[in-house]
Amino acid sequence: MQLFNNMNIKKKLFSSFAVLTLFLVIAAVFGYTGIKKVSGLMDNMYDEHYTASVTMNGIKADINEARALWLTLMNEKDAGKMDALKKTIQEDLNRDIDEEFGILMKMEGADARMKASFKELKDIWDSFRETRDKQMFPLLYADKRDEAKAIAIGIQAERYKKMISVSNDLVKSETEEAAAAQKEAHSRAQTVALVLLSLTLLGLAVSIIVALLISNNIASRVKGVADAAETIAGGDLTKEVNVSGGDEIGIMAASFKDMQQNIIRTVSQVR
């Protein structure tokens, strides 16, 4: 307590401000760290899970469209319409699917399991496309529709089912992981908000306590000097000033004591 009394009033007031500032800094650092983690989870959810899920759905839709167009092509007799359908399948849909696989294969956030599934799906697709373009289209244009159909309902049907199965499993897995990441991000956000609120309230409470201690310290010691002055003014020169310290109030009390002693000596001399 004596050390506190020896601090000047400016330092005492600054200490109260410093305590509040310290808690605010701690809250800010914790809040920034927490928000950064939540942001990282949200980025991961979008970059990895959401992007993978949307891209996989796109691949599945394009594969289904390619299959539907192929079935239409097998029943088409008009050469011009056959060429238009073939162009859509070989150029437009192949390009779209290749671009979507490119997105999946370049995903930096994908783990080993995801990359293995992407590769498995792409390998099946490459085999499916190669068989279609190098065997089935030539057979179809050579009017060997039955042979082309046999391939379509045989190995190609198996590959198609496998691609859809792998796609569905990936979409389901990514959707579940995205939901888990969202739940974790929400939980972290709640924790950050709770801790920030707690730190803020604690900082305010400590600052108020420190401010009350400082104000009570200053007020009680000033009152001690004031009471002594009032007593001496009433004629009682023996009243002791029980205030000490190296701050402004302690210096004032020491000066008051000196003045009191001087008054006592002067009165003694006059008597």
Side-chain angles (χ1 to χ4, degrees):
M1 190 66 182
Q2 187 60 38
L3 178 63
F4 185 73
N5 288 340
N6 288 334
M7 293 173 59
N8 61 46
I9 295 176
K10 183 178 180 181
K11 288 183 179 180
K12 291 175 183 176
L13 295 175
F14 179 78
S15 65
S16 176
F17 174 77
V19 170
L20 178 59
T21 301
L22 176 62
F23 275 95
L24 290 177
V25 169
I26 293 173
V29 171
F30 180 84
Y32 173 78
T33 304
I35 291 172
K36 192 173 181 180
K37 288 182 179 179
V38 172
S39 177
L41 286 170
M42 298 301 291
D43 288 343
N44 179 63
M45 183 175 66
Y46 177 82
D47 294 339
E48 181 180 337
H49 307 302
Y50 178 76
T51 300
S53 181
V54 170
T55 305
M56 287 304 310
N57 277 320
I59 290 175
K60 186 169 67 172
D62 288 337
I63 290 174
N64 283 330
E65 184 179 356
R67 182 170 182 268
L69 291 176
W70 170 258
L71 294 175
T72 302
L73 181 60
M74 287 186 64
N75 296 313
E76 184 60 63
K77 302 293 184 180
D78 184 89
K81 291 182 179 179
M82 288 176 66
D83 289 341
L85 288 169
K86 181 183 178 183
K87 179 178 181 298
T88 300
I89 294 172
Q90 285 191 317
E91 295 182 15
D92 298 339
L93 288 175
N94 280 0
R95 182 189 63 246
D96 291 344
I97 293 174
D98 286 341
E99 288 177 354
E100 288 163 337
F101 270 117
I103 292 173
L104 293 180
M105 302 307 288
K106 292 179 181 178
M107 284 182 60
E108 296 181 356
D111 57 26
R113 178 191 58 79
M114 289 175 61
K115 290 180 179 179
S117 296
F118 294 159
K119 186 178 185 304
E120 178 188 10
L121 183 61
K122 189 175 187 307
D123 289 344
I124 299 171
W125 164 249
D126 288 341
S127 298
F128 182 90
R129 180 170 64 180
E130 183 178 8
T131 298
R132 182 197 63 197
D133 293 348
K134 293 184 178 181
Q135 297 182 42
M136 298 174 70
F137 274 128
L139 287 172
L140 192 62
Y141 274 84
D143 203 24
K144 296 180 180 181
R145 295 177 183 272
D146 289 340
E147 293 181 37
K149 184 178 180 181
I151 297 174
I153 63 177
I155 186 66
Q156 290 295 79
E158 292 179 9
R159 288 168 176 165
Y160 169 76
K161 290 179 181 179
K162 183 64 175 177
M163 285 189 291
I164 297 302
S165 175
V166 173
S167 299
N168 287 336
D169 288 344
L170 277 169
V171 170
K172 181 181 178 181
S173 174
E174 292 308 305
T175 300
E176 290 174 351
E177 291 189 20
Q182 184 179 27
K183 184 177 180 181
E184 184 180 356
H186 181 68
S187 176
R188 282 185 178 272
Q190 286 186 320
T191 300
V192 170
L194 181 61
V195 173
L196 283 177
L197 178 62
S198 299
L199 285 174
T200 301
L201 293 177
L202 180 60
L204 287 173
V206 172
S207 297
I208 290 172
I209 291 172
V210 172
L212 287 174
L213 289 175
I214 293 173
S215 62
N216 287 339
N217 176 268
I218 293 173
S220 63
R221 295 166 71 223
V222 169
K223 186 176 185 301
V225 176
D227 288 346
E230 185 177 356
T231 301
I232 292 172
D236 183 2
L237 299 179
T238 62
K239 175 67 176 179
E240 293 186 4
V241 181
N242 296 318
V243 177
S244 62
D247 61 352
E248 292 86 346
I249 298 174
I251 294 172
M252 179 181 67
S255 299
F256 188 87
K257 290 177 183 178
D258 291 340
M259 180 188 70
Q260 181 184 22
Q261 293 301 317
N262 289 333
I263 293 173
I264 292 173
R265 282 196 295 270
T266 300
V267 171
S268 298
Q269 290 173 2
V270 169
R271 288 179 180 175

